[in-house]
Amino acid sequence: DIPESLGHKQSLRGLALAENKLTGTVPPSIYNISSLTFLHIGHNVLHGNLPHGIGGFLPNIQSLIFEDNYFEGPIPASLANATSLKVLDLAINSFSGSIPSLGSLKNLLYLDFSYNYLESNDWNFLSSLGNCVQLTELCLQSNSLGGSLPSSVGNLSTTVYTLWLSMNKISGTIPLEIGNLKILNNLMMHDNIVSGSIHSAIGTLRHLTILSLSGNNLSGLIPDSFGNLVQLNELYLQQNNLNGAIPRSLGKCQNLQKLNLSHNSLSGSIPTELLQISSLSKGLDISYNNLTGSIPQEVGALINLGLLNISNNQLSSQIPSTLGQCIVLETLQMEGNFLEGSIPLSLTNLKGIK
């Protein structure tokens, strides 16, 4: 346990007790050390509620990290009074209730409430965060936020580069205003119940390196504007209701390492431009669609690819011998198509196939 006596050191500036297998509750005296600028007690086995007046008790606190414990109850609204806060990390606990408005935290850089049981309360908290003009990372995945993501997401500071909203039962459509977050680097909205089409405005977020919209009810076409996302490393659109052709413009995404478009209703042929993204290494999965035509000879250009899944489509003709040039392949799935002819001898070059 954390000893009560620590709370008697009234001039203490910082207290770091992370990753120590500490159990029990935090002694109330700790919260009364008004001189504290950081309190880091993450990755322990601590439990209990946060004091209702914590924001007033710790007026100088700049970094509050309680990540990965067993704290529960509401997140106190008084945290809005701790106006020196830069880092607030309460992730991986059992906090519940509504997220309070924290717009008074003008110095806030990093906010992580992920993996709790929090609700959105009509998303009022998000509107207030628009006042946090230095915010760079907002992580809220795996809660129970629900409802529609409001247009006020576009009023977040233009300094925001990480936005994690996955696994939250979010419905409605993706707001057009999300395109205002011009330096967004990482947008995670997978495993919600978002519907409607993917707005082309997302294709204006030219700094994106990871975009995950998988496991939703999105429909319509993959926007051609995604070809503008030239810094993209990973694109996840699987398990939606997307249709139409795979846009040839994706061939411009020459930094892509992983692309998953599986489990949709995409049609047409495999664009040769897709097979000329030599950076693809972690995986190309276009399985469980309605793709037709032959496997293009250009598949041999994927010399860095470890996983290729084109199974369960309507592909026909022969397996191209150029596939044997993909010598780092470990996983190759082509079943559930209308392929014919013999298996090319060149496939014996694929020594890494598991």
Side-chain angles (χ1 to χ4, degrees):
D1 291 10
I2 300 174
E4 171 81 29
S5 57
L6 271 178
H8 304 319
K9 301 184 182 297
Q10 286 301 308
S11 59
L12 202 61
R13 296 286 304 280
L15 183 57
L17 299 171
E19 300 182 36
N20 274 300
K21 300 181 181 176
L22 293 167
T23 59
T25 59
V26 179
S29 59
I30 297 291
Y31 297 117
N32 287 325
I33 308 175
S34 59
S35 56
L36 277 180
T37 59
F38 66 87
L39 177 56
H40 297 176
I41 54 175
H43 303 284
N44 282 296
V45 198
L46 299 164
H47 65 272
N49 290 23
L50 297 187
H52 179 72
I54 186 173
F57 301 155
L58 300 173
N60 297 300
I61 200 75
Q62 294 181 23
S63 181
L64 198 60
I65 300 179
F66 284 31
E67 177 192 14
D68 193 14
N69 279 288
Y70 294 89
F71 291 104
E72 58 189 358
I75 294 176
S78 70
L79 280 170
N81 298 327
T83 53
S84 295
L85 263 178
K86 295 181 179 178
V87 175
L88 179 55
D89 187 349
L90 305 180
I92 319 175
N93 280 287
S94 296
F95 290 111
S96 57
S98 299
I99 298 176
S101 293
L102 298 170
S104 56
L105 304 180
K106 307 292 188 191
N107 298 300
L108 194 63
L109 301 172
Y110 179 91
L111 178 62
D112 192 349
F113 289 167
S114 305
Y115 297 98
N116 281 289
Y117 302 100
L118 298 166
E119 299 164 9
S120 67
N121 187 27
D122 296 326
W123 291 86
N124 292 331
F125 78 92
L126 191 67
S127 299
S128 75
L129 288 176
N131 296 317
C132 302
V133 293
Q134 298 187 54
L135 190 64
T136 59
E137 299 184 63
L138 177 57
C139 306
L140 300 171
Q141 74 266 31
S142 195
N143 279 287
S144 300
L145 298 181
S148 299
L149 183 64
S151 59
S152 60
V153 69
N155 295 331
L156 289 172
S157 174
T158 52
T159 56
V160 170
Y161 60 78
T162 295
L163 182 58
W164 288 359
L165 297 169
S166 306
M167 299 176 283
N168 265 303
K169 304 174 187 170
I170 297 171
S171 56
T173 59
I174 301 173
L176 161 68
E177 290 81 2
I178 209 163
N180 295 346
L181 305 178
K182 292 301 183 187
I183 70 163
L184 204 57
N185 177 271
N186 191 322
L187 176 58
M188 309 282 267
M189 288 190 66
H190 58 264
D191 296 304
N192 283 295
I193 43 177
V194 176
S195 56
S197 58
I198 303 173
H199 202 282
S200 60
I202 291 181
T204 66
L205 301 174
R206 295 172 183 266
H207 294 275
L208 277 178
T209 59
I210 300 177
L211 174 59
S212 182
L213 302 175
S214 61
N216 281 289
N217 295 323
L218 295 166
S219 57
L221 306 178
I222 299 173
D224 273 330
S225 63
F226 275 21
N228 298 325
L229 305 178
V230 294
Q231 295 189 38
L232 209 54
N233 298 146
E234 300 176 22
L235 175 59
Y236 302 97
L237 298 177
Q238 72 270 23
Q239 294 174 311
N240 280 291
N241 301 310
L242 300 169
N243 56 45
I246 298 173
R248 296 184 179 277
S249 61
L250 284 180
K252 298 175 186 175
C253 301
Q254 287 291 318
N255 288 300
L256 261 183
Q257 298 172 22
K258 191 165 187 176
L259 175 61
N260 195 334
L261 305 178
S262 66
H263 294 271
N264 280 290
S265 299
L266 300 170
S267 57
S269 58
I270 300 174
T272 55
E273 290 85 351
L274 200 65
L275 305 178
Q276 291 166 348
I277 306 175
S278 59
S279 57
L280 279 170
S281 55
K282 296 179 181 177
L284 172 60
D285 191 343
I286 51 176
S287 63
Y288 289 93
N289 280 290
N290 302 315
L291 299 171
T292 55
S294 59
I295 303 170
Q297 296 285 335
E298 287 83 355
V299 71
L302 298 174
I303 56 172
N304 299 305
L305 191 63
L307 179 150
L308 176 62
N309 190 347
I310 56 174
S311 68
N312 296 286
N313 280 287
Q314 299 170 33
L315 300 169
S316 57
S317 194
Q318 297 188 342
I319 299 171
S321 60
T322 51
L323 191 56
Q325 296 168 21
C326 305
I327 54 172
V328 297
L329 268 181
E330 295 182 351
T331 303
L332 174 60
Q333 293 182 253
M334 297 188 289
E335 72 274 12
N337 283 291
F338 302 112
L339 301 172
E340 57 191 44
S342 56
I343 297 173
L345 275 174
S346 62
L347 265 59
T348 58
N349 295 333
L350 307 181
K351 307 296 186 187
I353 293 286
K354 296 176 178 176

